[in-house]
């Protein structure tokens, strides 16, 4: 009997997705380039399950019912192209390839055009949730043709995370739209993680909280409407973990040099191309880059001095102010990400990506899953043309009520010499967005002075340009 789904690539994510598909009632065939990996999977986790091993792509293709549905879970970039090129001569019209990796959306656009022209279907699908999500229910972001999505809908709605208002999957849009939304999801994730790191830095180094106190603070924050989320939950857990070798909190013996795989950088690049300001996410990417020059920073610390000391006010009151600063900054980070998806929807995909649905499918399974995503969905349901989340009534009032605490935290950080680039970038974003006049009138005057780039006038209609005789 033919299997109903195929999967290529049995690394951790691939294995877990294969088990998820099989558990939800879809017999699966699997293939890995290294046959020993397939053998190990079959003799351990797949034993006794409706999983059929294949030891060549041809064998995999032949074992599947038609039209075939084959998911690729290999490293993004050239490896995806290699697999596709090897598959193409083996497939028939109507067969489908699904790329579940973190592919760059422009690569997905190229592959979609190529394969659809051959009569094959192609889905670029963002998969978020790490290994646990892949096994128990990820957030899925598929893009391609609507017809291709409808062909896999019975499977993806079963294997996705399930929340109160449905499975965490929706048709995102044409071409590379699915991978684009996953990329921006990862950019928001960068922002979230950096904001949490800055809150931790303030609590530890401005207030002097120890690992037990840090655990208690983050565990308490995770019970609130504002901050209840996967990332806050795991942060609280991290502070409990002790190192077997030293007996110290494990987090204190982990080197402060963060890695990145590229999706944050891609998010920044596309935002620049589209002319959308995402300063919180930019600050998060920059912070990882700064962290990576560890040896240089250690040397600089011996040469460059700055303020130091501890916060001398009420500790509990300041903890609450850090919480407020974190939440206000988080709202700004998500506002930036949603504005970017909204602009890309029109400019890149000639589509109408549903921002409320994006927030909904991130409520479960994915790394940025959080209770407050329900508020984002509500905001876009109330006003689908909302230009920015900062203007949604609930978020607007939240920031207006808490901005004094937000500003005090950033001022305290500056006085104590503690860098808070993402907190600061978020506040700058809010302050720039709420100003009806910015100093770029001077910038335009300078551009016209040295390069005759012209300017518009406040007393003339938009679109009329002038040049002054400056000298």
């Amino acid at each position: 009997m033919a299997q109903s789904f195929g999967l290529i690539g049995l690394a951790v994510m691939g294995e877990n997705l294969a088990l998820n598909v099989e558990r939800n009632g879809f017999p699966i065939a699997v293939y890995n380039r290294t046959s020993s990996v397939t053998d190990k999977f079959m003799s351990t986790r797949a034993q006794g399950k409706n999983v059929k091993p294949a030891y060549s792509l041809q064998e995999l293709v032949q074992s599947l019912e038609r039209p075939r549905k084959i998911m690729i879970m290999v490293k993004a970039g050239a490896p995806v192209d290699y697999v596709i090129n090897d598959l193409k001569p083996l497939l028939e019209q109507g067969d489908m390839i699904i790329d579940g990796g973190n592919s760059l959306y422009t690569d997905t656009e190229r592959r979609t055009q190529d394969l659809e022209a051959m009569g094959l279907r192609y889905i670029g699908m963002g998969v978020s949730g790490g290994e646990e999500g892949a096994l128990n229910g990820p957030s899925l972001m598929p893009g391609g043709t609507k017809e291709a999505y409808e062909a896999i809908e019975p499977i993806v709605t079963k294997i996705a995370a399930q929340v109160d208002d449905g499975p965490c999957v929706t048709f995102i849009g044409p071409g590379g739209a699915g991978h684009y939304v996953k990329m921006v999801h990862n950019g928001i994730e960068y922002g979230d993680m950096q904001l949490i790191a800055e809150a931790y830095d303030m609590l530890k180094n401005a207030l002097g909280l120890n690992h037990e106190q840090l655990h208690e603070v983050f565990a308490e924050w995770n019970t609130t409407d504002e901050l209840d989320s996967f990332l806050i939950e795991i942060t609280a857990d991290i502070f409990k973990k002790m190192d077997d070798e030293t007996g110290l909190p494990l987090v204190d013996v982990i080197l402060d040099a963060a890695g990145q795989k590229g999706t944050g950088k891609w998010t920044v690049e596309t935002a620049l191309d589209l002319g959308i300001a995402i300063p919180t996410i930019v600050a998060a990417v920059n912070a990882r880059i700064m962290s990576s020059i560890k040896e240089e920073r250690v040397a600089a610390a011996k040469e460059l001095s700055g303020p130091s000391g501890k916060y001398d006010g009420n500790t509990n009151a300041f903890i609450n102010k850090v919480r407020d600063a974190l939440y206000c900054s988080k709202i700004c980070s998500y506002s930036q990400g949603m504005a970017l998806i909204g602009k890309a929807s029109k400019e890149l995909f000639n589509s109408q990506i549903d921002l409320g649905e994006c927030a909904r499918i991130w409520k479960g399974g994915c790394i940025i899953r959080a209770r407050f995503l329900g508020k984002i969905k509500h905001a876009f349901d109330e006003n689908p043309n909302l230009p920015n989340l900062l203007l949604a009534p609930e978020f607007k009032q939240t920031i207006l009520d808490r901005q004094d605490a937000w500003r005090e935290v950033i001022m305290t950080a500056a006085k104590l010499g503690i860098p808070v680039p993402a907190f600061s970038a978020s506040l700058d974003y809010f302050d720039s967005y709420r100003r009806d006049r910015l100093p770029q009138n001077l910038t335009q005057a300078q551009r016209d002075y040295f390069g005759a780039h012209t300017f518009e006038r406040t007393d003339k209609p938009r679109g009329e340009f002038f040049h002054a005789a400056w000298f």
Side-chain angles (χ1 to χ4, degrees), residues 24-54:
N24 279 286
F26 302 97
I28 189 167
V30 298
Y31 167 77
N32 194 82
R33 189 163 56 94
T34 305
S35 59
S36 59
V37 172
T38 307
D39 288 335
K40 183 180 178 185
F41 178 56
M42 293 305 302
S43 64
T44 53
R45 303 181 73 199
Q47 195 168 32
K49 302 184 187 302
N50 198 342
V51 180
K52 184 173 183 178

mmCIF file of all heavy atoms in Angstrom, residues 24-54:
data_model
loop_
_atom_site.group_PDB
_atom_site.id
_atom_site.type_symbol
_atom_site.label_atom_id
_atom_site.label_comp_id
_atom_site.label_asym_id
_atom_site.label_seq_id
_atom_site.Cartn_x
_atom_site.Cartn_y
_atom_site.Cartn_z
ATOM 1 N N ASN A 24 -0.689 11.435 13.322
ATOM 2 C CA ASN A 24 -1.968 12.041 12.976
ATOM 3 C C ASN A 24 -2.690 11.316 11.841
ATOM 4 O O ASN A 24 -3.634 11.847 11.253
ATOM 5 C CB ASN A 24 -1.775 13.521 12.643
ATOM 6 C CG ASN A 24 -1.688 14.375 13.894
ATOM 7 O OD1 ASN A 24 -2.703 14.616 14.547
ATOM 8 N ND2 ASN A 24 -0.487 14.798 14.256
ATOM 9 N N GLY A 25 -2.225 10.090 11.539
ATOM 10 C CA GLY A 25 -2.991 9.241 10.641
ATOM 11 C C GLY A 25 -2.571 9.238 9.192
ATOM 12 O O GLY A 25 -3.326 8.779 8.326
ATOM 13 N N PHE A 26 -1.348 9.728 8.903
ATOM 14 C CA PHE A 26 -0.892 9.779 7.519
ATOM 15 C C PHE A 26 0.360 8.903 7.376
ATOM 16 O O PHE A 26 1.444 9.290 7.838
ATOM 17 C CB PHE A 26 -0.593 11.216 7.093
ATOM 18 C CG PHE A 26 -1.772 12.133 7.235
ATOM 19 C CD1 PHE A 26 -1.917 12.929 8.362
ATOM 20 C CD2 PHE A 26 -2.756 12.178 6.257
ATOM 21 C CE1 PHE A 26 -3.014 13.771 8.512
ATOM 22 C CE2 PHE A 26 -3.858 13.011 6.398
ATOM 23 C CZ PHE A 26 -3.991 13.808 7.525
ATOM 24 N N PRO A 27 0.241 7.742 6.755
ATOM 25 C CA PRO A 27 1.409 6.878 6.555
ATOM 26 C C PRO A 27 2.507 7.630 5.803
ATOM 27 O O PRO A 27 2.223 8.314 4.817
ATOM 28 C CB PRO A 27 0.848 5.724 5.711
ATOM 29 C CG PRO A 27 -0.621 5.727 5.961
ATOM 30 C CD PRO A 27 -0.994 7.159 6.188
ATOM 31 N N ILE A 28 3.739 7.507 6.258
ATOM 32 C CA ILE A 28 4.817 8.336 5.727
ATOM 33 C C ILE A 28 5.989 7.478 5.259
ATOM 34 O O ILE A 28 6.283 6.429 5.840
ATOM 35 C CB ILE A 28 5.271 9.377 6.781
ATOM 36 C CG1 ILE A 28 6.231 10.396 6.177
ATOM 37 C CG2 ILE A 28 5.881 8.705 8.016
ATOM 38 C CD1 ILE A 28 6.473 11.617 7.060
ATOM 39 N N ALA A 29 6.650 7.948 4.188
ATOM 40 C CA ALA A 29 7.906 7.358 3.724
ATOM 41 C C ALA A 29 9.011 8.377 3.978
ATOM 42 O O ALA A 29 8.802 9.581 3.812
ATOM 43 C CB ALA A 29 7.825 7.024 2.238
ATOM 44 N N VAL A 30 10.170 7.896 4.409
ATOM 45 C CA VAL A 30 11.270 8.811 4.761
ATOM 46 C C VAL A 30 12.552 8.422 4.029
ATOM 47 O O VAL A 30 12.791 7.245 3.736
ATOM 48 C CB VAL A 30 11.524 8.827 6.290
ATOM 49 C CG1 VAL A 30 10.307 9.334 7.040
ATOM 50 C CG2 VAL A 30 11.934 7.451 6.797
ATOM 51 N N TYR A 31 13.353 9.457 3.754
ATOM 52 C CA TYR A 31 14.643 9.231 3.094
ATOM 53 C C TYR A 31 15.671 10.192 3.674
ATOM 54 O O TYR A 31 15.377 11.368 3.924
ATOM 55 C CB TYR A 31 14.525 9.473 1.580
ATOM 56 C CG TYR A 31 15.860 9.575 0.877
ATOM 57 C CD1 TYR A 31 16.618 8.436 0.589
ATOM 58 C CD2 TYR A 31 16.389 10.820 0.522
ATOM 59 C CE1 TYR A 31 17.859 8.532 -0.035
ATOM 60 C CE2 TYR A 31 17.622 10.925 -0.108
ATOM 61 C CZ TYR A 31 18.348 9.774 -0.384
ATOM 62 O OH TYR A 31 19.578 9.871 -0.993
ATOM 63 N N ASN A 32 16.877 9.692 3.902
ATOM 64 C CA ASN A 32 18.001 10.522 4.298
ATOM 65 C C ASN A 32 19.203 10.122 3.445
ATOM 66 O O ASN A 32 19.419 8.946 3.166
ATOM 67 C CB ASN A 32 18.332 10.344 5.788
ATOM 68 C CG ASN A 32 19.246 11.428 6.307
ATOM 69 O OD1 ASN A 32 18.791 12.522 6.642
ATOM 70 N ND2 ASN A 32 20.540 11.166 6.368
ATOM 71 N N ARG A 33 19.981 11.116 3.052
ATOM 72 C CA ARG A 33 21.118 10.848 2.153
ATOM 73 C C ARG A 33 22.082 9.840 2.761
ATOM 74 O O ARG A 33 22.642 8.991 2.081
ATOM 75 C CB ARG A 33 21.837 12.171 1.851
ATOM 76 C CG ARG A 33 22.897 12.088 0.763
ATOM 77 C CD ARG A 33 23.235 13.483 0.272
ATOM 78 N NE ARG A 33 23.656 14.343 1.374
ATOM 79 C CZ ARG A 33 24.925 14.531 1.728
ATOM 80 N NH1 ARG A 33 25.889 13.897 1.103
ATOM 81 N NH2 ARG A 33 25.226 15.341 2.718
ATOM 82 N N THR A 34 22.274 9.922 4.081
ATOM 83 C CA THR A 34 23.115 8.950 4.782
ATOM 84 C C THR A 34 22.212 7.830 5.287
ATOM 85 O O THR A 34 21.404 8.024 6.199
ATOM 86 C CB THR A 34 23.846 9.628 5.962
ATOM 87 O OG1 THR A 34 24.572 10.762 5.468
ATOM 88 C CG2 THR A 34 24.813 8.662 6.629
ATOM 89 N N SER A 35 22.358 6.644 4.700
ATOM 90 C CA SER A 35 21.408 5.558 4.985
ATOM 91 C C SER A 35 21.467 5.094 6.435
ATOM 92 O O SER A 35 20.460 4.621 6.983
ATOM 93 C CB SER A 35 21.672 4.374 4.048
ATOM 94 O OG SER A 35 22.998 3.906 4.201
ATOM 95 N N SER A 36 22.624 5.245 7.088
ATOM 96 C CA SER A 36 22.724 4.809 8.482
ATOM 97 C C SER A 36 21.797 5.630 9.384
ATOM 98 O O SER A 36 21.308 5.136 10.402
ATOM 99 C CB SER A 36 24.174 4.917 8.971
ATOM 100 O OG SER A 36 24.645 6.252 8.872
ATOM 101 N N VAL A 37 21.554 6.900 9.006
ATOM 102 C CA VAL A 37 20.633 7.748 9.768
ATOM 103 C C VAL A 37 19.207 7.186 9.657
ATOM 104 O O VAL A 37 18.466 7.116 10.636
ATOM 105 C CB VAL A 37 20.696 9.212 9.267
ATOM 106 C CG1 VAL A 37 19.606 10.055 9.929
ATOM 107 C CG2 VAL A 37 22.068 9.808 9.534
ATOM 108 N N THR A 38 18.839 6.766 8.443
ATOM 109 C CA THR A 38 17.527 6.156 8.226
ATOM 110 C C THR A 38 17.396 4.874 9.045
ATOM 111 O O THR A 38 16.373 4.639 9.706
ATOM 112 C CB THR A 38 17.325 5.848 6.728
ATOM 113 O OG1 THR A 38 17.578 7.038 5.962
ATOM 114 C CG2 THR A 38 15.910 5.358 6.457
ATOM 115 N N ASP A 39 18.438 4.040 9.000
ATOM 116 C CA ASP A 39 18.407 2.782 9.750
ATOM 117 C C ASP A 39 18.220 3.019 11.243
ATOM 118 O O ASP A 39 17.425 2.327 11.902
ATOM 119 C CB ASP A 39 19.712 1.994 9.525
ATOM 120 C CG ASP A 39 19.787 1.400 8.122
ATOM 121 O OD1 ASP A 39 18.724 1.172 7.529
ATOM 122 O OD2 ASP A 39 20.912 1.192 7.639
ATOM 123 N N LYS A 40 18.951 3.990 11.765
ATOM 124 C CA LYS A 40 18.853 4.281 13.203
ATOM 125 C C LYS A 40 17.446 4.753 13.562
ATOM 126 O O LYS A 40 16.873 4.330 14.584
ATOM 127 C CB LYS A 40 19.888 5.331 13.597
ATOM 128 C CG LYS A 40 19.892 5.633 15.091
ATOM 129 C CD LYS A 40 20.931 6.683 15.444
ATOM 130 C CE LYS A 40 20.879 7.001 16.942
ATOM 131 N NZ LYS A 40 21.797 8.105 17.314
ATOM 132 N N PHE A 41 16.883 5.633 12.733
ATOM 133 C CA PHE A 41 15.524 6.141 12.976
ATOM 134 C C PHE A 41 14.520 4.989 12.963
ATOM 135 O O PHE A 41 13.653 4.885 13.840
ATOM 136 C CB PHE A 41 15.177 7.182 11.911
ATOM 137 C CG PHE A 41 13.793 7.756 12.021
ATOM 138 C CD1 PHE A 41 13.355 8.372 13.184
ATOM 139 C CD2 PHE A 41 12.915 7.704 10.939
ATOM 140 C CE1 PHE A 41 12.076 8.909 13.288
ATOM 141 C CE2 PHE A 41 11.633 8.241 11.016
ATOM 142 C CZ PHE A 41 11.215 8.846 12.196
ATOM 143 N N MET A 42 14.665 4.096 11.987
ATOM 144 C CA MET A 42 13.706 2.987 11.853
ATOM 145 C C MET A 42 13.813 1.998 13.015
ATOM 146 O O MET A 42 12.808 1.410 13.432
ATOM 147 C CB MET A 42 13.931 2.252 10.527
ATOM 148 C CG MET A 42 13.595 3.088 9.293
ATOM 149 S SD MET A 42 11.911 3.766 9.299
ATOM 150 C CE MET A 42 10.940 2.263 9.435
ATOM 151 N N SER A 43 15.018 1.840 13.547
ATOM 152 C CA SER A 43 15.196 0.846 14.617
ATOM 153 C C SER A 43 14.922 1.420 16.002
ATOM 154 O O SER A 43 14.902 0.686 16.988
ATOM 155 C CB SER A 43 16.624 0.288 14.575
ATOM 156 O OG SER A 43 17.567 1.308 14.857
ATOM 157 N N THR A 44 14.713 2.733 16.091
ATOM 158 C CA THR A 44 14.464 3.360 17.401
ATOM 159 C C THR A 44 13.102 4.042 17.411
ATOM 160 O O THR A 44 12.078 3.395 17.661
ATOM 161 C CB THR A 44 15.585 4.363 17.739
ATOM 162 O OG1 THR A 44 15.744 5.308 16.654
ATOM 163 C CG2 THR A 44 16.911 3.638 17.962
ATOM 164 N N ARG A 45 13.048 5.303 17.079
ATOM 165 C CA ARG A 45 11.825 6.085 17.265
ATOM 166 C C ARG A 45 10.686 5.673 16.326
ATOM 167 O O ARG A 45 9.512 5.846 16.663
ATOM 168 C CB ARG A 45 12.130 7.573 17.084
ATOM 169 C CG ARG A 45 13.215 8.081 18.024
ATOM 170 C CD ARG A 45 13.475 9.561 17.831
ATOM 171 N NE ARG A 45 12.386 10.363 18.384
ATOM 172 C CZ ARG A 45 12.165 11.628 18.058
ATOM 173 N NH1 ARG A 45 12.952 12.224 17.172
ATOM 174 N NH2 ARG A 45 11.178 12.298 18.606
ATOM 175 N N ALA A 46 11.030 5.159 15.142
ATOM 176 C CA ALA A 46 9.985 4.811 14.166
ATOM 177 C C ALA A 46 9.542 3.362 14.261
ATOM 178 O O ALA A 46 8.634 2.947 13.527
ATOM 179 C CB ALA A 46 10.491 5.109 12.756
ATOM 180 N N GLN A 47 10.145 2.628 15.171
ATOM 181 C CA GLN A 47 9.836 1.197 15.259
ATOM 182 C C GLN A 47 8.357 0.974 15.587
ATOM 183 O O GLN A 47 7.802 1.603 16.492
ATOM 184 C CB GLN A 47 10.715 0.541 16.324
ATOM 185 C CG GLN A 47 10.734 -0.970 16.258
ATOM 186 C CD GLN A 47 11.827 -1.557 17.137
ATOM 187 O OE1 GLN A 47 12.147 -0.991 18.178
ATOM 188 N NE2 GLN A 47 12.387 -2.684 16.743
ATOM 189 N N GLY A 48 7.704 0.094 14.821
ATOM 190 C CA GLY A 48 6.308 -0.225 15.063
ATOM 191 C C GLY A 48 5.321 0.799 14.537
ATOM 192 O O GLY A 48 4.113 0.654 14.735
ATOM 193 N N LYS A 49 5.809 1.833 13.861
ATOM 194 C CA LYS A 49 4.924 2.873 13.341
ATOM 195 C C LYS A 49 4.785 2.713 11.822
ATOM 196 O O LYS A 49 5.565 1.997 11.183
ATOM 197 C CB LYS A 49 5.457 4.261 13.693
ATOM 198 C CG LYS A 49 5.614 4.464 15.203
ATOM 199 C CD LYS A 49 6.051 5.883 15.521
ATOM 200 C CE LYS A 49 6.377 6.041 17.011
ATOM 201 N NZ LYS A 49 5.239 5.703 17.877
ATOM 202 N N ASN A 50 3.811 3.408 11.260
ATOM 203 C CA ASN A 50 3.552 3.302 9.817
ATOM 204 C C ASN A 50 4.503 4.228 9.063
ATOM 205 O O ASN A 50 4.105 5.219 8.451
ATOM 206 C CB ASN A 50 2.096 3.637 9.504
ATOM 207 C CG ASN A 50 1.677 3.124 8.139
ATOM 208 O OD1 ASN A 50 2.518 2.826 7.298
ATOM 209 N ND2 ASN A 50 0.371 3.023 7.922
ATOM 210 N N VAL A 51 5.783 3.900 9.167
ATOM 211 C CA VAL A 51 6.859 4.656 8.524
ATOM 212 C C VAL A 51 7.609 3.701 7.612
ATOM 213 O O VAL A 51 8.057 2.643 8.047
ATOM 214 C CB VAL A 51 7.832 5.256 9.570
ATOM 215 C CG1 VAL A 51 8.945 6.034 8.878
ATOM 216 C CG2 VAL A 51 7.088 6.158 10.549
ATOM 217 N N LYS A 52 7.755 4.080 6.350
ATOM 218 C CA LYS A 52 8.439 3.220 5.387
ATOM 219 C C LYS A 52 9.776 3.853 5.013
ATOM 220 O O LYS A 52 9.805 4.997 4.554
ATOM 221 C CB LYS A 52 7.582 3.039 4.139
ATOM 222 C CG LYS A 52 8.168 2.075 3.124
ATOM 223 C CD LYS A 52 7.180 1.831 1.998
ATOM 224 C CE LYS A 52 7.727 0.809 1.008
ATOM 225 N NZ LYS A 52 6.760 0.528 -0.073
ATOM 226 N N PRO A 53 10.893 3.141 5.196
ATOM 227 C CA PRO A 53 12.189 3.719 4.824
ATOM 228 C C PRO A 53 12.433 3.602 3.320
ATOM 229 O O PRO A 53 12.003 2.629 2.680
ATOM 230 C CB PRO A 53 13.184 2.847 5.596
ATOM 231 C CG PRO A 53 12.508 1.512 5.685
ATOM 232 C CD PRO A 53 11.035 1.798 5.789
ATOM 233 N N ALA A 54 13.092 4.600 2.748
ATOM 234 C CA ALA A 54 13.535 4.549 1.354
ATOM 235 C C ALA A 54 15.033 4.830 1.344
ATOM 236 O O ALA A 54 15.521 5.664 2.113
ATOM 237 C CB ALA A 54 12.776 5.573 0.522
#
